[in-house]
Amino acid sequence: MFRDYLDIQAKPDEIYPQPVTVPQGETPFREEYEEYIRSYPGRGTLKVQISVARGAFPIKNVLVDVSQIYNGVRYSLYNDVTDISGIVDNMVLPARSIESTLNFDTVQPEAEYLVTVFHPDFRELTDCAVVIHDKTETILPISLVPLTGERKDG
Amino acid sequence: MADIPTIPTYITVHLGAPNTAAENVTVPFAAYIKNVASAEIYPNWPPASLRANILAQISYTLNRVYTEYYPSRGYDFDITNDTRYDHAYKPDGEVFDTVSLIVDEIFNNYISRRGAVEPLAAKFCDGKVTRCDGLSQWGTVDLAEQGFTTLEILRYYYGDDVEIVENAPLADNTPSYPGTPLARGSFGNDVRILKNELNRIRRNYPAIPEINSSTSVYDGETEEAVKTFQRIFNLTPDGVVGKATWYKVKDIFNAVKRLSELTSEGLTIPEIERVFRTELSAGDSGVEVEAVQYYLAFLGYFYPQLPPIPVTGFFDDATRDAVFTFQSEYGLPITGVVDIATYATIEREYKRAVADLPENYQSAIGEPYPGRFLVEGDRGEEVRVIQRYIDRIGRTDPAVPEIDVDGIFGPQTRRAVEAIQAQLGVERNGAVGPVEWVEIITRGNNI
């Protein structure tokens, strides 16, 4: 449906680029946040892409955790490690419906998640907030800083 | 100020208001625009709306850079992330695929007023909570839904005399997109270069399949390599090298290649220690300046706070700014002058960075310069390494004799080195110093 909408709107000189991926599958389900999943009927995907040295090297085997805090409780939705290209891909997550992002007056908060990445040789990055949108792939490019050379106070 | 606007390779963002103490981060220009656009607008807005907003963001940013708005006021950054002054920018912020694809396609386009040279200082606001005399972000949605094109939206807000400048040159002299996509069946020098670049990138990104044929024809295995590259770097995986893929390949190739060359060119630490003067400051030149630049440039690859600088041997404004930043980051007196304490800290951090990086990253950054001249009579693994590359050159260049790779620097190796020195136009002394090392490694790798 989203693609149809885009195709109708696009002018011949503005052929819209194809999204890299279309969300497939379902987000991990738990009864505790069933209500949340129902109220966020849209689905988007998250791709975490980790590198060092301005993208010169992907970092493999980085632990990636995607969590959400709902009703004051933290739920870990995805746990994975990056592949040889530094990527964890295709994590499907609930989002607001497209209609709500086309209407300024919508009061529903964004579907926001927290990403934490860990590799013993690099500075840990915790609770990096990402917003997921319906029928959209969100890419989180992270450039990790090596643990060596940490600023020394004093 | 440059005569014709160019697209900067990197941009330094101050993470706060201009006159407040805050961290600076230096990020690639396209990555900056993707981050800004993803923070400012919704990714599923109509395409004409997205494009109009992104062009406004690009133009405003380029105007800041072109007019040297902040440097001319004494600041060491190009732009801030305080929305009272500039765009929203979120460090480690997310990017949306629809936005990413558009930015990759139009990152070197901008808005300009007819007859003017500079990129338009294209103001914008959300149009709901805040209003201004520029573009209304939410207003672009309404206009796009009414059927306005990108240019019509821009003219609605900025006047009928604005135009879109396309394919502006890149400041780092990256070859411009030739205008015709490369695809299966294409041939020519651009294809041969593309294959070499993908094979070099593959050494760091091994998921990209190797391209074995060295011909100038875009064949099936080239297409597969391109598709994998596109998947990794968030491009449409169609196996066609259009403008977005062309520039992304150049971008990643430059990142991996420059770091590799930088590492190969590492100057000898004992040599620098011997000649280091008590102070280096703006206007100085020589090998010790080169060493400081080298160390800072290397560290800049790993620490986004340090602005990238070229290794020229001349202590210019860029070097001074990098020294300022380094001193600030490491709690040293911020003087812009490299005194003994600053030099020792720079050198220490460099050594730590090289020594403590994970092993696989060290091996991937090329053959590190051994830190001393290799001369006739030397033996060992370092000699064997350079012999391997010399021999590879000798097999394709009749002016350079093929040699035995035995780890012994004898007369045969010396003659080969002299032949390479003759080609380089440097003194023919038969010794392998930093200049010869990087030349031999680079040539050998390119065969």
Side-chain angles (χ1 to χ4, degrees), chain B residues 2 46 72 93 123 156 250 290 299 303 318 367 393:
Chain B
S72 67
K123 286 184 185 170
Y156 179 87
K250 302 287 178 201
E290 201 174 320
L299 288 170
Y303 305 102
E367 302 287 355
I393 295 168

Side-chain angles (χ1 to χ4, degrees), chain B residues 417-446:
Chain B
V417 172
E418 285 174 350
I420 291 168
Q421 288 174 323
Q423 293 175 336
L424 269 173
V426 299
E427 183 190 356
R428 292 178 62 176
N429 56 17
V432 178
V435 173
E436 291 84 2
W437 182 273
V438 70
E439 170 70 11
I440 292 167
I441 300 290
T442 304
R443 278 183 66 183
N445 273 332
N446 286 339

Side-chain angles (χ1 to χ4, degrees), chain A residues 22-27 29 34 36-45 91-98 113 132-137:
Chain A
V22 175
Q24 291 177 340
E26 187 50 271
T27 192
F29 175 79
E34 183 184 0
Y36 171 82
I37 291 177
R38 272 206 308 272
S39 56
Y40 284 83
R43 292 292 179 268
T45 58
M91 293 178 277
V92 180
L93 293 163
R96 293 200 301 171
S97 64
I98 284 180
Y113 302 88
I132 299 295
H133 290 283
D134 195 11
K135 306 285 193 297
T136 299
E137 181 180 57

